Structures are given as structure tokens and as C-alpha cells.
Amino acid sequence: VDFSELADPPSPASRLCHRRPRSMELRAELLKSIWYAFTALDAEKSGKVSKSQLKVLSHNLYTVLCIPHDPVALEEHFRDDDDGPVSSQGYMPYLNKYILDKVEEGAFVKESFDELCWTLTAKKNYKANRNGNSVISHEDAFKLWCLFNFLSEDKYPLVMVPDEVEYLLKKIYMAMNIELNSGELDDYLSQEAQQQSGLTVWQFLDLVNSGRFLRGIEQEAISMAVEEVYQEIIGDVLKQGYLWKKGNLRRNWSERWFTLKPSDLSYYVSEERKEKKGSISLDRHSCVEILPDRDGKRCMFCVKTASRTYEMSASDTRQRQEWTLAIQMAIRLQAEGKKSLHKDLKQKRREQREQRERKKAAKEEEMQRLKQLQEEKERKLQELELLKEAQRQAELLLQEEEQRRKQQHEEMQRTLEIQLQEAEQARASMQAEMVLKEAEAERQRKRITELEEMQQRLQDALQQEVKARQDEESVRYAQARLLAEEEEKMKQLMKLKEEQEEYIIKAQHEKLVLKQEMENKSKFLEEAQKQLEEVRVNRERMDEDVMLAHRKLQQASTNVKHWNVQMNRLMHPIAPGEKRTVLSSGFCGFQPALLSRRDSSLKLKQNLEKKKSDPMKNGSKENVNGETEKQLQTPDKDNPSPSTLG
């Protein structure tokens, strides 16, 4: 059975209207008491009760709630099979449909209904002497149970929050004109209610019976206080007490016990309220006024209704003020359409608690946010400290780097000065070496000139030799033609064969002699060519030495200028836009001789090779070769030979 289906807390929309419908409020109140009766029957605490017990409970509920019912139908509903509504749907739908929906407000006595449910649940759960003593009577326990149900939350299992427990105990203490020790109560509630956010009714009754907060107070005073609080909260009694009332017909004054509720002001013969003498109905048009003293009565006031005016007298001014304020409150409740003051106060306290909880949650959230901000601030401060420390380290490193750069700059300056001195010394030595090189180059130029002249003479001799070889070739061609003619006429000249063979042998002998001479001349020419090549190699080596010396001189000059510029820049920084012209100290390098004649020497070598391969030489060629050989063997004094140059 889920009792929360019919007793859910009011929604925010209904709280804005401050009230739920009256039928829903009545159903929620009845359901709380029925929940205790049902849980008392649920011995195993499984949410299930036998049908026979539920039938008895339903019959009693029909009786105390004054709901007409058919006993036969009741038997059918709780028949021991699976066909009835209780078997198919459960007891809660049955309770809702057949009992709670048929309840009419004012048709039954609420106290009798509560006594039925209290009787069922007290047998099992309430033990007056549980702690060895009892402060309140069984009847007072029943009234406190009713008060607990009224002030408990609309959630199951039913509990009363610590604020409502304190409110109820304060009401009881105020009825006894005693001040409650709130500190001790808060300590107790913080220990007992921390696990379930409130106290159950049995914990509350144990608290009252323990005498912890009612120690030294007589049971009769406690009973009177409980009765007063019960009448105020459960019976909606705003105020009660003795007043003098002026009669309507006899116009005499009589003392009556008045009981003020939001709807009426009833009066009885005595405070036992056994004989009711009348009732004054209150509505939104009623009012209360204070009257001046007269007829020997003091502290007078009157209640005006639509039908008549009731004159009353209080015992003192304080009582008159309390009664007038209470009656005005009842009239205001009627004007606002409210039936109970304490239900409205309970709803307001609940809203205040929820508002406090929201504020508390918001405050906790704000504190959490502030804590996070504080942590963030501390983290940022730590980061700032780290940054400052890093900045200090960076400044130290920067100073060290600056000092190191300064030292490097000074060392570099000293190194540059040393290098500049070395460069100056190298420049002086290079200049001296260049003078020697220039003298050597001049001698080499003279030798090259002599070699070029000798090359010219050799070229002329080679041209003569070429001409001789051409003549030799023409003779060879003529001889070949003659041989061809001799072959054609071989048959005719057979007789001349022997003479021809002798001639051929002779010619071969001459050819061998000529070949021997050509080989000798070729060897001589090869030696001359080698000497010429050596001269050429020497000349090229001298050219390379001159060029190398020229490059070294230029490099030394460039280095000197570079170091001069560096020194000037270090010693005297150049102003923006200023230019300085640096005079170069290079020397006019040796201009190599024209190599156009090298081609002629190459041609001479080729002609000599051809001359080696030609076996036939004529007389004119021999003369030319002889003259050439003589010229090569007898060099001129002014023109030394290549070997001499070498």
C-alpha cells in the first residue's frame, strides 16, 4: 500500500494559492491516521495485511466516518479469492474509492476516528512505561499523537521536523507559563533527528515521557497544558475563558465559559462544556467594538453581527484586549475564507522552512563559490609568486648573460687587436715576398719570350717538313700508278721480272735506310718536343705561382681592410649616414702572355707523329731536317734552349 499516492506534498502552484482544496486536506488528515492503523496490522512490515484484518478495519472506518455501507458487499469485497477489487487492485484503490471519496466533512466526529486509529496502533507501538517512568497519561499521549499527525510532514513514513517539535513543545510550555530550554532541545534533536530529518511519533512520545524537558512539573499541569494546546490546534479554538454576557431578553449579566473558533463564538454554563447555552456566528461582516464602562461593569466590549449585538465584559483590560484581538482574527479568517488558523500557520511555517532551506542552499552554494574563488585567488597568487621568482631568476640570468657578453666582447677585442697585428706583419712579409715574386716573374717572362721565338723557328721547320712530306706523298702516288701499269703489263714484261725484283729489293733497302733515318729524326723531334713541354709546364707553374701570390696579396689586403673596419667600428662607432672610402693596396697582377702560339706547337707535334709513320723521305726533306737539327743542336747565346731554361 503506497500512502504517498494520496498525500503528496503540495505543488509550488498550490503553495502560491496558500491552500489545497478542503477535500484534499481532509483526505490527507484521515490518511495519516489510517496509515498508523494499517502499519499496526502489518506485523511483518512488508506492506501486506490479511483480508480479514482489512475487512475489520474497513468496517470500523465505515462506522466512525458515518459512511452508509452494505455488509454483504463488504463481505464480497474481502472474499478469500482473487476476484474482488482488493485482490485485483490492492487496498489503497479500495480505500480511495469506497471510503475516502464518500467522506463528508462535518458528518462524523473527528476525535472518534482518531481514537479508533490510535487504539489500533498504540496496542503495538506505545508503551507508557518504556523507560521505567511515565510523565503523561494515556489520554494525553493520544492528544499528543493527534497533534503530531497535524504538524507532521505529508510524507511517509510520517516524521515531524525539528522546527515543528520545538514549536509544539514551546506551545505546551507557554500553556504552563514556563520557558523552554532551546539549547538542550537543539542538542537532543541534532542527535536523534539527524538520520531521518525528523522524529517519529514514538520518538516524540518517548521524549515527553522521559521527563528530560518536563522534569519537576506535575502531571495535572502537563495534562491541562496538553488539553489547551490540543483544543487550540486540533479543535481550532482561538481563545476560551470566562466572560460576563448581557442577556437579550432579561438584560441581566451572566458569567459564561466562552470558546472562540474561526466560525463562531460558543458559550457554556461551565468550563466542562457539558451544557451549551448558545453560539454567535461570525462572518466577514461581523465586528468587535470596545464599550465604555456602565451598569457597574468594566472592561466592556461588544460583538456585532447581522442579526444582533452581544455585549460582554472581561475581568480586566488585558483580557478584553486579548478577546477583541482573537475575535478580530476569527473575523479576518472568515473574510479570507480560511477554516483553521493553525493550518494556515503550519503552511506558512512550512513555506518559511523551505525558504530558509533555499536560502541555506543558496548560502552554501555562495560559500562554495566564494571558497572556489578564494582557492582560485590563492592559486593565482601562487602563480604570481612563481612568476615573480621566475622574473628574478630571469633578471639574474640576464645580468650574468650581459656580463658574459661583456667579457666575450673584451676578449674578442683583444683577439682582434692581436689578429690585426699579425695581419700587419703578414702584410709586410707578403709585400717583401711580392717584390721577390715580381723579379722572378720578370725573369720568367723573358724566358717565355725566348721560348716563343724558338717555337716560331720550330714551327717554320715543321712547315718545311710538311711540304717535304707532301712531295713524298705525290711520289708515292706516282709509284703506285706505275706499279698498277706494271701489273697490267706483267705478262708482257715477264722478261723484265728479275730486273724488277732486283729493283724492288733495292728499293726496299733504300726504304729501310730512309725509315731508320726517319726514326732517328723522330726521336730527336720527340726530345725537342719534351723539352718544349717542360718549358711550357714551367711557364704554367710560374703563372700559377704568380696568380697564387696575387690572390694571397688580395686576401691579405682584404683581411687588413676588414680588421681595420672592425677596429674602427669597435673604437669609433660610425654615425648614421657616414661613409668612409678605403684605399685598396692591391698590386697590378702579372698579365699572362698570350697563348695563341700554343696551337702552333700542337700542330708541330702532330706533324712529327706523321713523320714517324712515313717510311719514304726525299733528299730535300733530309736537307731540311738536317738544317733543323743543326739549329736545335746549336742554340743561340741570346736565346737559350729549353733544357737551359729548365
Side-chain angles (χ1 to χ4, degrees):
V1 179
D2 187 4
F3 285 83
S4 61
E5 294 178 358
L6 299 178
D8 289 334
S11 63
S14 63
R15 287 172 185 165
L16 292 176
C17 298
H18 300 290
R19 292 185 63 82
R20 291 183 294 180
R22 179 61 184 171
S23 59
M24 292 298 295
E25 291 182 358
L26 178 62
R27 179 174 299 192
E29 293 174 5
L30 297 177
L31 196 60
K32 287 182 179 180
S33 300
I34 296 173
W35 178 77
Y36 281 107
F38 184 87
T39 54
L41 297 176
D42 182 13
E44 298 180 357
K45 298 182 180 180
S46 61
K48 296 180 180 180
V49 179
S50 65
K51 288 185 178 180
S52 60
Q53 291 177 319
L54 291 177
K55 180 178 69 174
V56 175
L57 175 62
S58 301
H59 177 74
N60 292 330
L61 292 177
Y62 279 126
T63 302
V64 296
L65 294 175
C66 301
I67 300 174
H69 66 284
D70 186 2
V72 178
L74 182 64
E75 292 290 337
E76 290 293 328
H77 292 163
F78 292 92
R79 191 171 54 190
D80 193 11
D81 55 22
D82 297 334
D83 296 335
V86 178
S87 299
S88 60
Q89 301 178 5
Y91 186 65
M92 181 57 70
Y94 177 85
L95 180 65
N96 184 28
K97 180 178 180 181
Y98 291 95
I99 298 178
L100 297 180
D101 287 348
K102 296 179 180 180
V103 174
E104 295 181 2
E105 187 176 4
F108 66 96
V109 179
K110 178 68 166 52
E111 188 174 356
S112 300
F113 169 77
D114 290 334
E115 286 179 353
L116 169 65
C117 296
W118 163 255
T119 302
L120 292 174
T121 188
K123 289 180 180 180
K124 180 180 178 181
N125 298 302
Y126 179 65
K127 294 180 175 58
N129 297 323
R130 179 175 299 181
N131 297 324
N133 54 5
S134 178
V135 177
I136 57 175
S137 63
H138 191 80
E139 184 179 357
D140 293 337
F142 163 70
K143 293 176 182 178
L144 290 175
W145 178 78
C146 294
L147 290 169
F148 181 93
N149 290 344
F150 180 83
L151 297 175
S152 64
E153 298 297 307
D154 295 338
K155 297 178 183 178
Y156 293 91
L158 294 174
V159 295
M160 186 161 58
V161 297
D163 291 344
E164 295 297 325
V165 174
E166 184 178 2
Y167 172 77
L168 179 56
L169 291 177
K170 282 183 177 180
K171 293 291 289 185
I172 296 173
Y173 270 74
M174 287 176 62
M176 295 185 294
N177 295 324
I178 302 175
E179 185 177 357
L180 177 65
N181 187 356
S182 300
E184 186 178 359
L185 178 62
D186 292 339
D187 295 338
Y188 175 81
L189 294 177
S190 62
Q191 297 175 0
E192 295 293 331
Q194 60 182 354
Q195 296 182 354
Q196 52 188 358
S197 68
L199 294 178
T200 63
V201 65
W202 314 119
Q203 290 175 332
F204 176 70
L205 292 177
D206 288 343
L207 171 64
V208 176
N209 272 325
S210 66
R212 184 171 183 175
F213 300 101
L214 299 175
R215 190 180 300 109
I217 303 176
E218 296 182 359
Q219 186 175 6
E220 183 178 356
I222 297 174
S223 298
M224 292 177 62
V226 171
E227 173 66 20
E228 182 178 346
V229 175
Y230 177 81
Q231 291 295 331
E232 179 182 352
I233 295 177
I234 304 300
D236 288 330
V237 176
L238 300 180
K239 187 171 177 57
Q240 57 184 354
Y242 283 104
L243 290 174
W244 289 89
K245 174 183 171 296
K246 187 176 183 179
N248 185 27
L249 298 177
R250 298 175 61 182
R251 309 300 291 175
N252 60 333
W253 290 87
S254 303
E255 189 177 22
R256 299 285 184 254
W257 178 265
F258 281 83
T259 301
L260 175 63
K261 294 185 177 182
S263 59
D264 56 30
L265 178 61
S266 303
Y267 47 96
Y268 303 86
V269 175
S270 63
E271 57 183 320
E272 284 79 9
R273 295 183 298 177
K274 294 181 179 179
E275 183 180 355
K276 185 176 182 180
K277 300 297 293 183
S279 177
I280 303 173
S281 298
L282 301 176
D283 55 23
R284 60 189 304 176
H285 302 291
S286 303
C287 65
V288 58
E289 294 180 358
I290 295 177
L291 300 177
D293 298 342
R294 66 172 182 268
D295 299 335
K297 295 295 180 182
R298 53 191 299 271
C299 302
M300 294 179 60
F301 64 94
C302 67
V303 177
K304 294 182 179 180
T305 63
S307 58
R308 58 173 288 191
T309 299
Y310 298 88
E311 294 182 5
M312 284 162 277
S313 173
S315 59
D316 53 30
T317 305
R318 180 172 173 271
Q319 285 293 324
R320 181 178 65 178
Q321 183 178 4
E322 291 179 357
W323 274 103
T324 54
L325 291 176
I327 295 172
Q328 288 175 355
M329 181 182 294
I331 295 172
R332 179 173 58 81
L333 292 174
Q334 287 294 316
E336 294 175 356
K338 298 177 181 178
K339 298 292 185 180
S340 173
L341 172 64
H342 285 278
K343 288 180 180 179
D344 184 57
L345 294 177
K346 181 181 72 173
Q347 183 64 31
K348 289 182 178 179
R349 290 195 303 273
R350 181 176 296 173
E351 291 175 359
Q352 290 175 357
R353 284 197 303 273
E354 293 175 355
Q355 187 176 4
R356 286 198 304 270
E357 290 176 358
R358 287 194 297 269
K359 289 182 178 180
K360 183 178 179 181
K363 186 176 180 180
E364 291 178 354
E365 183 179 358
E366 182 69 18
M367 291 298 294
Q368 186 68 21
R369 189 176 66 84
L370 290 175
K371 184 178 179 181
Q372 292 177 357
L373 291 175
Q374 184 67 22
E375 292 177 354
E376 183 70 16
K377 183 179 179 181
E378 292 177 357
R379 185 178 63 81
K380 289 184 177 180
L381 288 175
Q382 292 177 357
E383 292 178 356
L384 185 59
E385 290 295 330
L386 292 176
L387 289 175
K388 288 181 178 179
E389 183 65 24
Q391 186 178 4
R392 288 194 294 270
Q393 294 293 335
E395 290 177 354
L396 292 175
L397 292 175
L398 186 61
Q399 292 177 359
E400 293 177 357
E401 183 67 19
E402 186 67 24
Q403 187 175 2
R404 186 176 61 81
R405 288 181 180 177
K406 187 175 181 180
Q407 293 177 356
Q408 289 181 353
H409 181 72
E410 293 176 354
E411 292 177 358
M412 185 180 293
Q413 186 173 359
R414 288 193 297 269
T415 304
L416 289 174
E417 290 176 354
I418 294 171
Q419 290 179 355
L420 183 59
Q421 293 175 0
E422 293 177 353
E424 289 292 338
Q425 295 174 0
R427 180 181 178 183
S429 62
M430 287 296 296
Q431 287 179 352
E433 187 178 355
M434 284 300 299
V435 171
L436 297 176
K437 291 292 184 182
E438 286 178 358
E440 184 67 24
E442 185 65 27
R443 289 194 297 271
Q444 291 294 332
R445 282 197 296 273
K446 291 180 180 180
R447 289 180 183 180
I448 290 170
T449 304
E450 293 173 356
L451 290 174
E452 286 178 352
E453 292 176 356
M454 183 178 290
Q455 184 180 4
Q456 184 65 32
R457 289 195 298 270
L458 288 174
Q459 191 173 3
D460 295 339
L462 287 174
Q463 288 178 358
Q464 292 175 4
E465 186 178 1
V466 168
K467 186 177 180 181
R469 289 189 66 179
Q470 289 176 355
D471 295 339
E472 185 181 0
E473 288 293 331
S474 62
V475 172
R476 187 182 295 173
Y477 290 148
Q479 187 180 7
R481 189 171 57 253
L482 290 173
L483 288 174
E485 291 176 357
E486 286 177 0
E487 287 178 359
E488 292 177 357
K489 297 177 180 181
M490 186 177 292
K491 292 179 182 180
Q492 297 176 3
L493 300 176
M494 286 298 294
K495 294 178 181 181
L496 301 175
K497 182 177 181 181
E498 294 178 358
E499 297 176 0
Q500 184 67 34
E501 289 178 354
E502 292 176 359
Y503 179 77
I504 290 172
I505 292 170
K506 185 179 179 180
Q508 289 178 351
H509 178 71
E510 292 177 356
K511 185 176 181 181
L512 290 173
V513 174
L514 183 59
K515 184 176 181 180
Q516 186 68 29
E517 294 177 355
M518 288 297 295
E519 288 177 355
N520 294 331
K521 293 180 180 180
S522 297
K523 290 179 180 179
F524 179 76
L525 289 174
E526 286 178 358
E527 292 177 356
Q529 185 68 27
K530 288 180 180 179
Q531 293 177 359
L532 183 61
E533 287 295 329
E534 290 176 356
V535 171
R536 186 180 294 109
V537 170
N538 291 332
R539 184 182 64 182
E540 290 176 355
R541 187 168 61 251
M542 292 302 296
D543 292 339
E544 291 175 356
D545 292 337
V546 171
M547 293 300 295
L548 180 60
H550 183 263
R551 283 196 298 271
K552 288 183 178 180
L553 183 59
Q554 287 182 344
Q555 185 175 3
S557 177
T558 304
N559 290 335
V560 170
K561 289 188 288 183
H562 174 71
W563 296 123
N564 286 332
V565 172
Q566 293 294 331
M567 285 296 296
N568 291 332
R569 186 176 300 168
L570 292 173
M571 302 301 294
H572 302 287
I574 299 174
E578 182 180 353
K579 292 185 178 179
R580 296 186 181 180
T581 57
V582 181
L583 297 177
S584 61
S585 59
F587 91 137
C588 295
F590 167 70
Q591 299 294 332
L594 298 176
L595 301 179
S596 61
R597 296 179 182 179
R598 292 182 184 177
D599 297 335
S600 61
S601 63
L602 180 61
K603 291 180 181 179
L604 177 61
K605 185 178 179 181
Q606 292 176 354
N607 292 333
L608 290 174
E609 290 177 356
K610 288 181 181 180
K611 196 170 184 180
K612 288 178 184 180
S613 63
D614 192 359
M616 296 180 68
K617 299 292 181 179
N618 55 19
S620 61
K621 294 177 183 178
E622 292 176 356
N623 295 330
V624 172
N625 292 331
E627 292 177 359
T628 305
E629 183 177 359
K630 290 178 180 180
Q631 292 176 0
L632 293 172
Q633 291 178 356
T634 59
D636 206 359
K637 294 181 179 179
D638 298 331
N639 297 322
S641 64
S643 61
T644 306
L645 293 173

